[in-house]
Amino acid sequence: MRKFRSTGFIAAAILVAGSTTALCFADALSLVPGQFANPAVAAAPPGATAEPLDVLRLSSPWLTPVPGGVQSLRGKVVLVNFWTYSCINSLRALPYLRAWSERYGDKGLVVVGVHAPEFGFEKDAAKVGQASAQLDVRYPNLQDNRYAVWRQFGNEGWPGFFFIDAKGRVRGYRLGEGNYAEAEQLIRTLLAEAGHDPSDVPVTPIVGTGVEAEAAWGDLRSPEAYVGYEKAVKFASPGGLVKNAEASYAAPSDLSLNQWSLAGRWAVGREFATLGAAGGAIAFRFHARDLHLVLGGAGDGRPVRFRVTIDGEAPGANHGSDVDEAGWGAVSEDRLYQLIRQPGQVMDRTVRVEFGRPGVRAYVFTFG
């Protein structure tokens, strides 16, 4: 099991019966100014396959197939992106992947997504397909539930980028967000080597919007925070977490930065916490422009209404894309929900999310 050290906070997830360590990277979580990005495009990681196209050819299922079949990738420049649809770091990379696919698709580039799930619900092909459609992921996409492709490529986290030349060789590897200009330049170099001329394709700025907008790195002081007991830290409710059993929790009188709490009846499992009674809440003290929470819907399939407050008040102009100004939203799908986006000054704030009925699942807080 390989370990990888980042300049920022690292959240590790053990995904396949303890055999694969997956890391979700938020490059700018370093608290030292100027150390926000991982190194630029590097060589393939140790142990990476020498025949990446053969790995893709022998893998399945393809949620979105390669036009002409995987064999048609021979002679093309291929960019393989390891991602998972509830990871904010993966989502913020999508504008670049879509733009490169559109800019260079007729120049010999094929972008291929390899969806390697972090959470159990992301193993459901129907849910991944629905999320991919909502996220406008139209390039080929492979589901890698057992991390077979991940391991053969030697990938180490989300998002991971492998740059494969027209001879089928891995010419570059990039882990995490950032350094997109260098990545695009490598794509253009590989295309030129393959006999394609990308010089008539303008390199214009790529800007994400909504949940895909680049993080406000300079204001980011909060790391990912998992709710399941396996990776939970800084839990502040009196008595601590009770594993694998429903229990009553109370909110503390105050939270310090990056502490979180539960209120009401919750059953905390390894991966997520499930609300057992109406009126339960989860709270977090954070410092970031954006706050997201990965949530899962109730077992009966009906939406679960929730209300968000920030420092005890309705969010108003600080509401995220999944809530209104009064703080109201609903969990109808298993995915990442953007609860807060602050357009003004960023400071330490406390968010509280109260749910109208039981059954909702809470997985992880992420920030931007």
Side-chain angles (χ1 to χ4, degrees):
M1 184 181 298
R2 298 190 67 237
K3 294 183 179 179
F4 188 98
R5 297 187 64 183
S6 166
T7 57
F9 291 99
I10 296 177
I14 309 302
L15 288 229
V16 186
S19 62
T20 298
T21 300
L23 305 175
C24 195
F25 289 88
D27 296 343
L29 285 179
S30 171
L31 301 184
V32 181
Q35 296 185 2
F36 290 160
N38 281 337
V41 177
T49 177
E51 300 292 341
L53 299 185
D54 282 346
V55 172
L56 296 178
R57 180 176 59 83
L58 297 172
S59 299
S60 63
W62 286 88
L63 304 179
T64 305
V66 179
V70 181
Q71 65 274 8
S72 69
L73 296 178
R74 297 287 178 186
K76 302 286 184 65
V77 175
V78 182
L79 169 54
V80 175
N81 167 235
F82 287 86
W83 74 299
T84 188
Y85 82 80
S86 76
C87 172
I88 187 59
N89 310 96
S90 291
L91 296 180
R92 290 195 293 246
L94 291 180
Y96 299 90
L97 293 161
R98 285 194 297 262
W100 294 336
S101 181
E102 293 169 4
R103 287 178 182 179
Y104 304 110
D106 61 355
K107 297 288 187 179
L109 174 71
V110 180
V111 176
V112 172
V114 178
H115 187 271
E118 178 173 16
F119 299 119
F121 65 82
E122 293 174 305
K123 296 180 180 180
D124 186 322
K127 292 180 179 179
V128 179
Q130 179 184 31
S132 297
Q134 292 172 342
L135 295 167
D136 197 26
V137 176
R138 290 182 278 182
Y139 44 80
N141 198 21
L142 172 69
Q143 182 78 343
D144 190 29
N145 281 356
R146 299 182 64 83
Y147 276 54
V149 180
W150 178 294
R151 288 192 294 269
Q152 290 179 83
F153 270 70
N155 188 49
E156 296 171 304
W158 301 284
F161 307 87
F162 287 80
F163 301 84
I164 301 169
D165 67 15
K167 295 181 179 179
R169 302 171 299 182
V170 175
R171 294 283 297 279
Y173 174 55
R174 167 72 189 151
L175 180 61
E177 300 178 66
N179 293 107
Y180 292 113
E182 288 193 53
E184 184 165 6
Q185 183 55 54
L186 177 57
I187 291 170
R188 293 170 73 94
T189 298
L190 297 180
L191 290 172
E193 288 180 2
H196 303 285
D197 182 7
S199 63
D200 61 339
V201 179
V203 179
T204 55
I206 300 169
V207 179
T209 60
V211 73
E212 297 176 359
E214 184 179 7
W217 300 126
D219 285 321
L220 190 50
R221 299 290 182 270
S222 290
E224 281 185 316
Y226 288 85
V227 178
Y229 65 75
E230 184 177 68
K231 298 185 288 293
V233 297
K234 294 195 174 182
F235 181 67
S237 289
L241 289 173
V242 178
K243 298 181 180 180
N244 297 321
E246 189 171 294
S248 292
Y249 293 91
S253 58
D254 196 15
L255 292 173
S256 299
L257 181 63
N258 298 327
Q259 284 187 326
W260 64 282
S261 66
L262 297 171
R265 293 196 64 79
W266 292 83
V268 180
R270 179 187 62 82
E271 188 175 87
F272 56 85
T274 305
L275 180 61
I282 187 169
F284 197 101
R285 183 75 170 171
F286 73 104
H287 188 112
R289 183 194 66 195
D290 304 338
L291 178 144
H292 318 100
L293 181 57
V294 176
L295 295 167
D300 60 12
R302 294 188 295 119
V304 178
R305 289 265 287 169
F306 63 82
R307 188 171 187 228
V308 174
T309 57
I310 185 166
D311 294 336
E313 304 289 339
N318 295 315
H319 72 94
S321 59
D322 288 299
V323 302
D324 61 21
E325 291 187 355
W328 289 103
V331 181
S332 54
E333 301 162 341
D334 299 349
R335 62 176 176 85
L336 177 145
Y337 289 78
Q338 187 184 79
L339 306 183
I340 299 294
R341 168 158 287 174
Q342 300 180 77
Q345 181 181 6
V346 174
M347 62 187 72
D348 293 1
R349 313 291 293 269
T350 298
V351 68
R352 185 176 187 271
V353 189
E354 182 173 342
F355 300 94
R357 66 185 189 89
V360 71
R361 289 165 282 125
Y363 288 81
V364 61
F365 287 95
T366 61
F367 305 90

